[in-house]
Amino acid sequence: MLNPGDKLFVSHRRLFADDEPRFFAGRVVAYEHGLAKVAGHAFVRERIRGEFARKSDERVKIVPLGSGAVIVYQLPAEVDLAALRLESRQHAFLLTDGSFTMNLTDRVLQAAAPGRK
C-alpha cells in the first residue's frame, strides 16, 4: 500500500480535552503490516502566539495506520516537505508548502440561508 519515499502527513487524534494537537510530516522509510516507518518533522503549537511551528530536528516515527489514534494523509509526490507549514486563515486550518494546500478544517462552513445572518 505504501512505498518508500511516499510522503505522509499524520494528525494524532486528541483523546482528552486538554490534549494539544500534534502533527507530523515525513517520508516513508519502510512499510509492513499496517506499520509505516516515517522520517520527518513534528509540528508543535507555539504557546504565546498559538501558531504551529515545525521542529528543526528530524525524527523517525513508527505510525500504526490501523490504530484509530492517527489520521494519515498521503501527500502528492511534488509536495516540498521542507517548506510545509500549518496556517490558520479565514476560519480554515491549512497545510501548505506555498504551491500545494490542503484544508484540514474538520467542519464545513455553510453560507447563511437567504434572509438569515
Side-chain angles (χ1 to χ4, degrees), residues 17-109:
D18 293 338
D19 283 354
E20 283 289 328
R22 295 182 309 152
F23 303 100
F24 187 81
R27 187 178 304 278
V28 174
V29 175
Y31 173 78
E32 186 176 314
H33 305 297
L35 295 173
K37 185 176 188 178
V38 184
H41 295 268
F43 290 82
V44 294
R45 187 190 313 257
E46 194 277 327
R47 290 192 177 258
I48 303 224
R49 292 188 314 266
E51 298 171 357
F52 281 89
R54 179 177 168 257
K55 292 183 80 171
S56 62
D57 58 322
E58 184 175 89
R59 56 192 65 205
V60 176
K61 281 192 167 210
I62 305 299
V63 180
L65 301 180
S67 74
V70 293
I71 301 169
V72 181
Y73 302 92
Q74 185 169 357
L75 300 173
E78 61 273 5
V79 166
D80 181 357
L81 291 174
L84 274 181
R85 61 189 180 277
L86 292 164
E87 297 180 355
S88 292
R89 275 193 249 150
Q90 300 173 352
H91 305 291
F93 187 54
L94 306 173
L95 174 69
T96 185
D97 69 356
S99 298
F100 164 83
T101 300
M102 177 187 287
N103 187 337
L104 298 171
T105 309
D106 62 354
R107 294 185 186 97
V108 176
L109 296 176

XYZ file of all heavy atoms in Angstrom, residues 17-109:
730
model
N -9.718 16.545 26.418
C -9.984 17.952 26.116
C -8.728 18.817 26.202
O -8.579 19.766 25.445
C -11.066 18.490 27.058
N -7.814 18.485 27.104
C -6.602 19.291 27.284
C -5.440 18.874 26.386
O -4.374 19.483 26.440
C -6.151 19.245 28.745
C -7.130 19.941 29.670
O -7.903 20.782 29.183
O -7.118 19.636 30.875
N -5.620 17.846 25.571
C -4.545 17.403 24.684
C -4.233 18.486 23.661
O -5.141 19.075 23.066
C -4.946 16.132 23.919
C -4.878 14.888 24.772
O -4.421 14.977 25.927
O -5.290 13.825 24.274
N -2.960 18.725 23.450
C -2.519 19.649 22.398
C -2.586 18.921 21.055
O -2.272 17.725 20.993
C -1.078 20.105 22.652
C -0.946 21.144 23.736
C -1.482 22.507 23.332
O -1.418 22.870 22.147
O -1.964 23.208 24.227
N -2.952 19.613 20.003
C -2.894 18.973 18.681
C -1.453 18.612 18.351
O -0.534 19.361 18.675
C -3.398 20.071 17.726
C -4.079 21.071 18.587
C -3.462 20.970 19.944
N -1.241 17.446 17.723
C 0.100 17.005 17.345
C 0.077 16.560 15.892
O -0.827 15.829 15.473
C 0.562 15.854 18.234
C 0.724 16.273 19.680
C 1.238 15.137 20.542
N 0.444 13.937 20.356
C 0.900 12.712 20.513
N 2.141 12.501 20.868
N 0.118 11.670 20.322
N 1.074 17.002 15.149
C 1.152 16.702 13.732
C 2.571 16.289 13.376
O 3.530 16.678 14.042
C 0.760 17.925 12.890
C -0.610 18.442 13.219
C -0.772 19.541 14.047
C -1.743 17.825 12.709
C -2.027 20.019 14.354
C -3.009 18.300 13.016
C -3.156 19.400 13.836
N 2.692 15.525 12.293
C 3.988 15.038 11.832
C 3.939 14.904 10.314
O 2.939 14.420 9.764
C 4.279 13.676 12.472
C 5.648 13.144 12.204
C 6.726 13.584 12.944
C 5.863 12.192 11.216
C 7.998 13.088 12.709
C 7.127 11.694 10.974
C 8.201 12.145 11.728
N 4.973 15.337 9.630
C 5.059 15.196 8.174
C 6.392 14.568 7.831
O 7.431 14.939 8.396
C 4.930 16.550 7.489
N 6.361 13.607 6.910
C 7.613 12.975 6.542
C 7.487 12.035 5.366
O 6.450 11.957 4.709
N 8.574 11.325 5.145
C 8.707 10.413 4.007
C 8.769 8.984 4.545
O 9.482 8.708 5.506
C 9.997 10.769 3.274
C 10.238 10.053 1.996
C 11.533 10.519 1.330
N 11.595 11.946 1.087
C 11.045 12.581 0.045
N 10.376 11.889 -0.845
N 11.173 13.873 -0.111
N 8.044 8.073 3.913
C 8.040 6.669 4.310
C 9.426 6.065 4.069
O 9.982 6.181 2.981
C 6.958 5.873 3.534
C 7.053 4.380 3.848
C 5.565 6.405 3.848
N 9.958 5.452 5.122
C 11.225 4.735 5.038
C 10.938 3.260 4.751
O 11.607 2.624 3.947
C 12.039 4.891 6.344
C 13.295 4.063 6.318
C 12.336 6.353 6.604
N 9.902 2.731 5.427
C 9.512 1.335 5.246
C 8.041 1.187 5.622
O 7.501 1.989 6.393
C 10.375 0.424 6.113
N 7.413 0.158 5.062
C 6.007 -0.129 5.383
C 5.842 -1.641 5.445
O 6.310 -2.364 4.562
C 5.086 0.454 4.315
C 3.641 0.041 4.505
C 2.847 0.665 5.456
C 3.091 -0.992 3.763
C 1.536 0.276 5.655
C 1.789 -1.389 3.963
C 1.010 -0.765 4.902
O -0.293 -1.152 5.106
N 5.189 -2.096 6.524
C 4.945 -3.521 6.670
C 3.780 -3.755 7.614
O 3.751 -3.197 8.726
C 6.213 -4.188 7.230
C 6.144 -5.686 7.289
C 7.460 -6.299 7.757
O 8.513 -5.891 7.251
O 7.395 -7.160 8.658
N 2.825 -4.548 7.194
C 1.708 -4.986 8.026
C 0.994 -3.839 8.747
O 0.710 -3.922 9.950
C 2.153 -6.027 9.052
C 2.838 -7.210 8.451
N 2.222 -8.087 7.584
C 4.114 -7.642 8.553
C 3.063 -9.010 7.210
N 4.235 -8.770 7.774
N 0.731 -2.749 8.048
C -0.008 -1.640 8.655
C 0.830 -0.693 9.497
O 0.288 0.221 10.110
N 2.126 -0.908 9.535
C 3.025 -0.010 10.255
C 3.894 0.737 9.243
O 4.509 0.117 8.372
C 3.937 -0.775 11.212
C 3.257 -1.495 12.365
C 4.274 -2.341 13.127
C 2.590 -0.505 13.288
N 3.925 2.046 9.370
C 4.770 2.861 8.491
C 5.897 3.464 9.318
O 5.653 4.083 10.351
C 3.945 3.964 7.841
N 7.106 3.277 8.866
C 8.274 3.927 9.471
C 8.487 5.196 8.665
O 8.733 5.132 7.453
C 9.494 3.014 9.395
C 10.715 3.528 10.088
C 11.816 2.467 10.002
C 13.003 2.842 10.833
N 14.042 1.797 10.774
N 8.349 6.352 9.321
C 8.343 7.638 8.640
C 9.404 8.553 9.237
O 9.447 8.754 10.449
C 6.950 8.310 8.754
C 6.898 9.599 7.956
C 5.842 7.369 8.302
N 10.268 9.118 8.381
C 11.290 10.077 8.812
C 10.815 11.470 8.435
O 10.429 11.714 7.288
C 12.621 9.774 8.130
N 10.783 12.373 9.437
C 10.307 13.717 9.144
C 10.356 14.618 10.355
O 11.195 14.446 11.238
N 9.421 15.556 10.378
C 9.423 16.596 11.399
C 8.053 16.728 12.072
O 7.019 16.626 11.414
C 9.809 17.949 10.782
C 11.204 17.950 10.268
N 12.274 18.349 11.035
C 11.723 17.581 9.079
C 13.381 18.231 10.328
N 13.073 17.766 9.140
N 8.089 17.002 13.366
C 6.877 17.257 14.135
C 6.533 18.742 14.053
O 7.406 19.589 13.863
C 7.089 16.854 15.593
N 5.254 19.033 14.198
C 4.765 20.404 14.288
C 4.140 20.584 15.664
O 3.327 19.754 16.089
C 3.694 20.669 13.213
C 4.242 20.701 11.824
C 4.456 19.525 11.123
C 4.546 21.899 11.211
C 4.960 19.545 9.828
C 5.045 21.932 9.921
C 5.252 20.755 9.232
N 4.558 21.640 16.358
C 4.040 21.896 17.703
C 3.495 23.319 17.774
O 3.949 24.207 17.060
C 5.126 21.691 18.777
C 5.548 20.234 18.851
C 6.329 22.571 18.517
N 2.527 23.490 18.677
C 1.945 24.816 18.846
C 2.842 25.680 19.718
O 3.265 25.280 20.790
C 0.562 24.734 19.493
C -0.134 26.090 19.525
C -1.405 26.109 20.370
N -2.293 25.030 20.141
C -3.419 25.128 19.434
N -3.744 26.258 18.868
N -4.213 24.092 19.315
N 3.126 26.878 19.225
C 3.883 27.876 19.971
C 2.874 28.518 20.922
O 1.868 29.059 20.490
C 4.485 28.885 18.972
C 5.551 29.757 19.552
C 5.013 30.950 20.300
O 3.959 31.510 19.941
O 5.647 31.323 21.277
N 3.109 28.434 22.203
C 2.095 28.803 23.202
C 1.730 30.285 23.249
O 0.601 30.620 23.550
C 2.540 28.347 24.588
C 2.498 26.849 24.698
C 2.658 26.450 26.144
N 2.556 25.017 26.248
C 1.464 24.394 26.662
N 0.401 25.054 26.984
N 1.454 23.084 26.741
N 2.641 31.186 22.961
C 2.333 32.617 23.090
C 1.439 33.095 21.960
O 0.401 33.698 22.182
C 3.636 33.442 23.155
C 4.438 32.929 24.308
C 3.341 34.919 23.164
C 5.087 33.846 25.221
N 1.839 32.827 20.717
C 1.049 33.288 19.569
C 0.003 32.269 19.140
O -0.892 32.595 18.379
C 1.973 33.607 18.394
C 2.858 34.818 18.656
C 3.630 35.242 17.423
N 4.264 34.146 16.708
C 5.510 33.736 16.886
N 6.277 34.330 17.766
N 6.013 32.743 16.182
N 0.149 31.017 19.548
C -0.803 29.982 19.175
C -0.582 29.420 17.782
O -1.375 28.630 17.303
N 0.514 29.809 17.146
C 0.810 29.324 15.805
C 1.589 28.015 15.889
O 2.233 27.724 16.891
C 1.632 30.361 15.045
C 0.906 31.664 14.848
C 1.806 32.755 14.284
O 3.017 32.505 14.098
O 1.288 33.849 14.041
N 1.530 27.238 14.801
C 2.276 25.981 14.756
C 3.631 26.208 14.112
O 3.747 26.926 13.134
C 1.497 24.928 13.979
C 0.403 24.315 14.785
C -0.850 24.881 14.792
C 0.637 23.190 15.556
C -1.871 24.333 15.547
C -0.375 22.630 16.315
C -1.624 23.208 16.309
N 4.644 25.568 14.676
C 5.998 25.666 14.148
C 6.535 24.257 13.903
O 6.212 23.321 14.642
C 6.905 26.401 15.130
N 7.354 24.130 12.894
C 7.998 22.866 12.561
C 9.255 22.736 13.409
O 10.093 23.629 13.425
C 8.356 22.875 11.074
C 9.045 21.650 10.591
C 9.252 21.810 9.072
N 10.144 20.824 8.576
C 11.414 21.032 8.265
N 11.939 22.233 8.372
N 12.161 20.054 7.836
N 9.373 21.637 14.136
C 10.576 21.406 14.929
C 11.746 21.137 13.988
O 11.584 20.488 12.962
C 10.373 20.238 15.886
C 9.350 20.558 16.973
C 9.201 19.436 17.943
C 10.335 19.475 18.923
N 10.181 18.541 20.032
N 12.915 21.644 14.348
C 14.065 21.555 13.451
C 14.696 20.167 13.398
O 15.295 19.797 12.394
C 15.113 22.583 13.841
O 15.573 22.328 15.154
N 14.563 19.398 14.466
C 15.217 18.091 14.496
C 14.367 17.021 13.807
O 13.194 16.879 14.070
C 15.543 17.666 15.926
C 14.325 17.613 16.828
O 13.453 18.490 16.690
O 14.226 16.685 17.654
N 15.023 16.286 12.881
C 14.321 15.193 12.211
C 14.230 14.012 13.166
O 15.133 13.776 13.968
C 15.055 14.780 10.938
C 14.288 13.708 10.180
C 14.921 13.343 8.854
O 15.764 12.433 8.858
O 14.573 13.973 7.847
N 13.140 13.302 13.060
C 12.957 12.107 13.875
C 12.313 11.025 13.028
O 11.776 11.302 11.966
C 12.117 12.404 15.103
C 10.770 13.010 14.784
C 10.055 13.572 15.975
N 10.818 14.689 16.507
C 10.759 15.100 17.763
N 9.936 14.549 18.588
N 11.504 16.093 18.174
N 12.358 9.807 13.514
C 11.727 8.682 12.837
C 10.610 8.187 13.738
O 10.829 7.936 14.926
C 12.747 7.555 12.554
C 12.050 6.348 11.947
C 13.853 8.061 11.642
N 9.419 8.080 13.164
C 8.264 7.590 13.917
C 7.755 6.305 13.287
O 7.790 6.155 12.068
C 7.116 8.607 13.880
C 7.276 9.753 14.822
C 5.962 10.519 14.912
C 6.046 11.461 16.084
N 4.778 11.699 16.685
N 7.261 5.423 14.118
C 6.536 4.247 13.657
C 5.058 4.599 13.813
O 4.591 4.864 14.915
C 6.888 2.986 14.486
C 8.396 2.742 14.506
C 6.110 1.793 13.960
C 9.020 2.493 13.163
N 4.354 4.638 12.699
C 2.957 5.064 12.704
C 2.069 3.841 12.477
O 2.113 3.224 11.412
C 2.704 6.120 11.605
C 1.256 6.568 11.614
C 3.639 7.304 11.776
N 1.224 3.480 13.475
C 0.310 2.352 13.329
C -0.941 2.816 12.567
O -1.843 3.435 13.130
C -0.011 1.972 14.771
C 0.137 3.261 15.527
C 1.174 4.070 14.806
N -0.994 2.557 11.267
C -2.049 3.114 10.428
C -3.450 2.632 10.804
O -4.421 3.345 10.597
C -1.759 2.800 8.961
C -0.427 3.338 8.447
C -0.242 2.973 6.991
C -0.326 4.833 8.656
N -3.578 1.455 11.350
C -4.896 0.923 11.676
C -5.326 1.140 13.113
O -6.353 0.611 13.538
N -4.611 1.936 13.870
C -4.881 2.037 15.305
C -6.096 2.888 15.659
O -6.648 2.756 16.726
C -3.665 2.605 16.035
O -3.567 3.997 15.781
N -6.476 3.809 14.811
C -7.551 4.732 15.158
C -7.054 5.921 15.953
O -7.796 6.853 16.218
N -5.790 5.917 16.358
C -5.225 7.027 17.123
C -4.646 8.106 16.218
O -4.286 9.176 16.688
C -4.140 6.517 18.066
N -4.548 7.807 14.913
C -3.990 8.775 13.971
C -4.876 8.867 12.731
O -5.571 7.916 12.368
C -2.546 8.408 13.539
C -1.582 8.527 14.693
C -2.487 7.034 12.916
N -4.829 10.028 12.111
C -5.412 10.226 10.788
C -4.221 10.482 9.878
O -3.406 11.363 10.158
C -6.376 11.423 10.767
C -7.511 11.207 11.769
C -6.920 11.648 9.360
C -8.347 12.456 12.002
N -4.103 9.706 8.817
C -2.935 9.794 7.943
C -3.379 10.199 6.543
O -4.275 9.591 5.972
C -2.175 8.451 7.891
C -0.950 8.555 6.997
C -1.776 8.010 9.297
N -2.735 11.235 6.041
C -2.992 11.704 4.682
C -1.764 11.421 3.836
O -0.652 11.747 4.234
C -3.223 13.220 4.665
C -4.363 13.685 5.529
C -4.137 14.067 6.861
C -5.657 13.759 5.038
C -5.170 14.507 7.660
C -6.697 14.202 5.840
C -6.459 14.571 7.140
O -7.487 15.011 7.933
N -1.952 10.830 2.652
C -0.838 10.685 1.725
C -0.772 11.956 0.900
O -1.757 12.386 0.306
C -1.008 9.474 0.821
C 0.210 9.260 -0.052
C 0.197 7.918 -0.763
O -0.698 7.110 -0.572
N 1.201 7.692 -1.588
N 0.395 12.571 0.883
C 0.593 13.829 0.173
C 1.085 13.562 -1.245
O 1.733 12.545 -1.505
C 1.621 14.688 0.922
C 1.250 15.049 2.359
C 2.414 15.748 3.042
C 0.000 15.910 2.389
N 0.809 14.489 -2.169
C 1.327 14.332 -3.532
C 2.858 14.294 -3.543
O 3.512 14.906 -2.690
C 0.816 15.591 -4.253
C -0.337 16.073 -3.440
C -0.034 15.678 -2.022
N 3.414 13.594 -4.517
C 4.865 13.434 -4.615
C 5.590 14.771 -4.740
O 6.708 14.915 -4.263
C 5.205 12.542 -5.807
N 4.944 15.765 -5.354
C 5.612 17.050 -5.586
C 5.622 17.970 -4.366
O 6.236 19.042 -4.403
C 4.995 17.782 -6.783
C 3.536 18.108 -6.636
C 2.594 16.989 -7.079
O 3.039 15.890 -7.425
O 1.378 17.234 -7.061
N 4.992 17.591 -3.271
C 4.986 18.434 -2.075
C 6.403 18.593 -1.542
O 7.163 17.626 -1.448
C 4.066 17.840 -0.989
C 4.294 18.490 0.367
C 2.605 17.991 -1.382
N 6.761 19.825 -1.199
C 8.070 20.134 -0.626
C 7.962 20.018 0.897
O 7.479 20.938 1.567
C 8.494 21.544 -1.041
C 9.862 21.934 -0.518
O 10.489 21.143 0.229
O 10.305 23.045 -0.847
N 8.396 18.901 1.448
C 8.269 18.671 2.892
C 8.995 19.730 3.708
O 8.532 20.114 4.783
C 8.794 17.281 3.258
C 7.962 16.091 2.766
C 8.681 14.786 3.073
C 6.571 16.108 3.375
N 10.125 20.226 3.219
C 10.898 21.227 3.952
C 10.171 22.563 4.035
O 10.436 23.351 4.932
C 12.264 21.417 3.312
N 9.250 22.809 3.116
C 8.522 24.080 3.093
C 7.136 23.979 3.719
O 6.429 24.990 3.808
C 8.401 24.593 1.655
N 6.728 22.794 4.169
C 5.380 22.642 4.741
C 5.209 23.486 5.993
O 6.122 23.585 6.818
C 5.110 21.187 5.108
C 4.577 20.277 4.015
C 4.350 18.882 4.569
C 3.322 20.807 3.366
N 4.037 24.075 6.116
C 3.683 24.828 7.322
C 2.179 24.728 7.541
O 1.427 24.437 6.616
C 4.143 26.276 7.191
C 3.516 27.032 6.053
C 4.185 28.403 5.842
N 3.574 29.105 4.740
C 3.855 28.941 3.451
N 4.771 28.067 3.097
N 3.232 29.633 2.518
N 1.774 24.953 8.769
C 0.362 24.978 9.138
C -0.053 26.420 9.338
O 0.642 27.176 10.010
C 0.140 24.171 10.421
C 0.358 22.669 10.268
C 0.505 22.019 11.621
C -0.785 22.052 9.499
N -1.191 26.798 8.753
C -1.674 28.173 8.837
C -3.156 28.187 9.172
O -3.900 27.316 8.742
C -1.494 28.899 7.501
C -0.075 29.047 7.051
C 0.046 29.771 5.716
O -1.011 30.069 5.089
O 1.175 30.034 5.300
N -3.560 29.220 9.896
C -4.983 29.482 10.125
C -5.350 30.695 9.292
O -4.726 31.747 9.418
C -5.254 29.783 11.600
O -5.038 28.629 12.367
N -6.350 30.517 8.424
C -6.802 31.616 7.576
C -8.303 31.566 7.426
O -8.843 30.533 7.027
C -6.209 31.497 6.166
C -4.845 32.079 6.010
C -4.513 32.196 4.544
N -3.475 31.236 4.226
C -3.318 30.656 3.057
N -4.098 30.927 2.063
N -2.347 29.802 2.861
N -8.972 32.668 7.715
C -10.407 32.816 7.469
C -11.196 31.574 7.885
O -11.860 30.939 7.083
C -10.661 33.135 6.005
C -10.000 34.408 5.552
C -10.133 34.611 4.055
O -10.590 33.758 3.319
N -9.727 35.783 3.601
N -11.109 31.185 9.123
C -11.834 30.056 9.694
C -11.418 28.714 9.097
O -12.164 27.749 9.154
C -13.346 30.241 9.545
C -13.838 31.520 10.123
N -13.856 31.757 11.474
C -14.296 32.646 9.523
C -14.325 32.975 11.687
N -14.600 33.540 10.517
N -10.238 28.650 8.487
C -9.745 27.398 7.934
C -8.369 27.099 8.512
O -7.600 28.000 8.829
C -9.660 27.493 6.409
N -8.076 25.825 8.648
C -6.781 25.353 9.122
C -6.130 24.646 7.942
O -6.648 23.642 7.437
C -6.984 24.409 10.307
C -5.724 23.980 10.982
C -4.809 24.908 11.451
C -5.464 22.639 11.176
C -3.644 24.514 12.082
C -4.304 22.233 11.808
C -3.398 23.177 12.268
N -5.003 25.185 7.456
C -4.422 24.737 6.203
C -3.023 24.170 6.372
O -2.227 24.674 7.170
C -4.355 25.912 5.222
C -5.648 26.666 4.969
C -5.387 27.890 4.119
C -6.686 25.760 4.333
N -2.721 23.156 5.569
C -1.378 22.630 5.414
C -0.919 23.088 4.034
O -1.604 22.843 3.034
C -1.391 21.099 5.481
C -0.074 20.392 5.203
C 0.922 20.661 6.335
C -0.306 18.899 5.033
N 0.218 23.767 3.952
C 0.664 24.297 2.670
C 2.185 24.314 2.568
O 2.874 24.426 3.579
C 0.092 25.716 2.419
O 0.448 26.147 1.107
C 0.579 26.711 3.457
N 2.666 24.210 1.338
C 4.092 24.415 1.065
C 4.281 25.635 0.167
O 5.366 25.892 -0.324
C 4.734 23.165 0.443
C 4.260 22.874 -0.973
O 3.373 23.581 -1.489
O 4.776 21.916 -1.576
N 3.207 26.380 -0.070
C 3.237 27.541 -0.940
C 2.639 27.255 -2.300
O 2.034 28.119 -2.913
N 2.782 26.026 -2.785
C 2.175 25.614 -4.055
C 0.986 24.693 -3.799
O -0.069 24.845 -4.389
C 3.188 24.882 -4.934
O 4.255 25.728 -5.267
N 1.183 23.729 -2.927
C 0.142 22.771 -2.545
C -0.545 23.275 -1.283
O 0.116 23.770 -0.370
C 0.790 21.411 -2.271
C -0.075 20.452 -1.512
C -1.020 19.694 -2.160
C 0.057 20.316 -0.142
C -1.820 18.804 -1.462
C -0.725 19.430 0.576
C -1.674 18.679 -0.095
N -1.871 23.148 -1.214
C -2.606 23.500 0.002
C -3.682 22.453 0.258
O -4.408 22.065 -0.651
C -3.274 24.888 -0.125
O -2.255 25.860 -0.345
C -4.035 25.254 1.139
N -3.765 21.992 1.517
C -4.813 21.065 1.942
C -5.552 21.695 3.110
O -4.936 22.115 4.086
C -4.204 19.726 2.386
C -5.228 18.729 2.901
S -4.472 17.238 3.597
C -3.912 16.431 2.118
N -6.879 21.761 3.004
C -7.703 22.291 4.076
C -7.941 21.175 5.088
O -8.549 20.155 4.771
C -9.030 22.806 3.511
C -9.852 23.532 4.550
O -9.686 23.319 5.751
N -10.746 24.380 4.108
N -7.446 21.360 6.315
C -7.572 20.352 7.368
C -8.744 20.633 8.310
O -8.927 19.917 9.290
C -6.276 20.292 8.180
C -5.035 19.873 7.399
C -3.805 20.072 8.259
C -5.150 18.437 6.925
N -9.527 21.668 8.010
C -10.659 22.023 8.858
C -11.627 20.852 8.920
O -11.961 20.267 7.891
C -11.374 23.273 8.298
O -10.398 24.281 8.084
C -12.441 23.777 9.252
N -12.078 20.506 10.125
C -12.967 19.358 10.250
C -14.442 19.720 10.184
O -15.298 18.890 10.421
C -12.666 18.576 11.520
C -12.865 19.378 12.792
O -13.135 20.583 12.685
O -12.736 18.803 13.874
N -14.741 20.950 9.846
C -16.136 21.380 9.694
C -16.280 22.108 8.373
O -15.378 22.800 7.932
C -16.532 22.335 10.811
C -16.542 21.695 12.166
C -17.077 22.677 13.206
N -16.953 22.096 14.514
C -15.951 22.341 15.341
N -15.002 23.172 15.006
N -15.885 21.766 16.511
N -17.447 21.973 7.770
C -17.745 22.718 6.551
C -18.494 23.965 6.965
O -19.522 23.897 7.649
C -18.607 21.883 5.582
C -18.986 22.707 4.366
C -17.863 20.624 5.174
N -17.956 25.125 6.581
C -18.644 26.372 6.875
C -19.720 26.578 5.824
O -19.445 26.544 4.624
C -17.664 27.545 6.861
C -16.583 27.481 7.933
C -15.617 28.636 7.760
C -17.210 27.530 9.311
